[in-house]
Amino acid sequence: LTLHEGELRQLWAHGIYENEYVKEDGKWKFKKLHFFLNFRTPYEDGWLKTPVVGHNGPSLEVPPDAPPTTWRPYPFGYHFPVHFKHPITGK
Amino acid sequence: MNLEELEKQVTLQEDIQEIENLQKIYGYYFDNSMYAEVIDLFSENTESVEITDHGVFRSKEAVVKMYSGMVVMPRPGWMFFEVMQSQGVIDVAPDGKTATGRWYTPSFECRPFGGTKKQTWQFGVYSNEYIKENGHWYFKKLHWNLTYWTSYERGFLKVPRLSDTPFPNADAPATAYHPYPSGYHVPYPFKHPVTGK
């Protein structure tokens, strides 16, 4: 839920995680978390009409250490690179 | 459990993991139009590929033909499809050489229809077969059954499918194309885990 054009709206949000993990003292933990947002759209509109609503840009209350590295939501057409190698060719 | 049984169990778990990754990786490659990478996921002994009503493509050569036919002009940013590969059930045959997999595929899309951009939902079921060769799992048979393909705004009840999409170069027409509201259930490849039926 978020306010959009002065109204409380229900949302779809969709994106991709590319994360890294590390094993420490026998437990797996997040080492790096990166959520790439594709769209966050009001239910009634859809990604084509309204790709991204809601909180945009770095937080003023909790400022980040650096600006976003990959902020290219729909309809930018950006393909977030895959971390894995091809399972057969190894490329 | 003796050592031989344990080895068999470990291999089975590795096989299931590798097949799950194969299917999920196929999804990412397909969504990104990486068709050369997609083709390399198929066995040289591929039986067939069948997607919605495109028709049946038999053998590896036909698979290459079908996916190569999908290589399109560079897509504008607004044009996309993202298909979730979800709720997978993998069954490896007792000899460890072949396997079956069933998956649900909710998806988001935006593509042109007669000069206008249209946002759409597509939903379907995979019933696939895999084969282990030279220590790797490959697709042996891929069959994606369309449940519905509808506009974002109108939904599957009003518009079950947006258009027909047979491929003229298919080896045979679709074997099972029964989108909503036919009520067709794609047969389960797996046995009941408790009763074995």
Side-chain angles (χ1 to χ4, degrees), chain A residues 3-68:
Chain A
L3 276 172
H4 177 56
E5 295 168 343
E7 263 188 282
L8 200 56
R9 302 288 285 273
Q10 44 193 347
L11 301 177
W12 299 106
H14 170 63
I16 295 171
Y17 276 120
E18 275 284 352
N19 297 339
E20 293 178 22
Y21 310 90
V22 62
K23 195 174 189 178
E24 288 170 343
D25 306 323
K27 304 254 189 210
W28 281 100
K29 296 174 189 185
F30 282 100
K31 186 182 169 210
K32 188 174 171 181
L33 182 147
H34 188 173
F35 178 67
F36 172 79
L37 183 76
N38 192 11
F39 57 76
R40 185 170 56 227
T41 179
Y43 179 85
E44 296 80 2
D45 294 359
W47 45 89
L48 178 60
K49 288 182 197 154
T50 312
V52 183
V53 294
H55 173 78
N56 286 325
S59 167
L60 299 175
E61 295 84 36
V62 189
D65 294 323

Side-chain angles (χ1 to χ4, degrees), chain A residues 10-18 36 38-39 41-50 74-91, chain B residues 18 21-22 24-25 28-29 31-34 36-42 75-80 82 84 107-110 117-121 136-138 152-153:
Chain A
Q10 44 193 347
L11 301 177
W12 299 106
H14 170 63
I16 295 171
Y17 276 120
E18 275 284 352
F36 172 79
N38 192 11
F39 57 76
T41 179
Y43 179 85
E44 296 80 2
D45 294 359
W47 45 89
L48 178 60
K49 288 182 197 154
T50 312
Y74 188 80
F76 197 96
Y78 181 69
H79 288 163
F80 199 37
V82 299
H83 69 273
F84 46 80
K85 296 252 190 293
H86 192 288
I88 312 293
T89 66
K91 286 179 195 164
Chain B
E18 200 180 315
N21 284 352
L22 177 73
K24 292 170 184 173
I25 285 172
Y28 283 113
Y29 287 159
D31 291 350
N32 289 341
S33 304
M34 297 163 71
E37 285 79 0
V38 163
I39 287 163
D40 284 336
L41 299 176
F42 283 84
R75 295 198 304 231
W78 56 266
M79 196 172 150
F80 85 112
E82 289 195 359
M84 315 298 113
S107 71
F108 321 101
E109 296 188 334
C110 192
K117 300 172 189 173
K118 203 173 190 74
Q119 48 186 353
T120 71
W121 300 110
H136 288 295
W137 282 96
Y138 295 81
Y152 184 92
E153 295 82 1

